Amino acid sequence: MPQFNPEFWVPQLFWLAVIATILFLVMWKITLPRVDVVLADRQDRIGGNLQKAETLKAEAETALAAYQKSIADARATAQAEHAKAQAAIAAETAKREAVFGKRLADQEAAAEGNIAAARSAALAQVKPIATDLAQTITEKLIGAKVGSDAASSAVDAAAKERA
């Protein structure tokens, strides 16, 4: 093997030094600056993206806060309108109940008046009938005729006992 032969070591070391120097210079002047540029661009792009993300996050938070405020305002407005409508309905219901109660009271008073008139008329007709009946029953039971004044007094006395 020629690599292990000492007479070939000097030229091999020479070419090793030349190639290492050339590789070092290529890496130092060409490759590493390009890698450095790529890394710097990448770092700038990442920094820009992070800044943009923070800006968008702040905008999103602002939009969310505005949305939540508008929702809260809409709820408050809706609740106020609901309370207003409920109060209007309650007032209208109370008004209608008052009108209905008055009408019902008027009808009740009229019905009570009609009942009282009918009762008075019925009671006015009962007394002559009771007097005639008392006269007829007395005549049938004891065979004696009773006068209408005596029968009327007896009917009045019996009515007072029952009342």
Side-chain angles (χ1 to χ4, degrees), residues 37-49:
V37 168
V38 169
L39 289 176
D41 287 346
R42 182 172 180 230
Q43 189 64 31
D44 290 343
R45 192 172 346 132
I46 289 171
N49 287 343

Side-chain angles (χ1 to χ4, degrees), residues 61-77:
E61 288 174 354
T62 304
L64 178 63
Y67 171 74
Q68 288 175 341
K69 183 182 182 303
S70 67
I71 291 294
D73 291 346
R75 278 194 184 131
T77 303

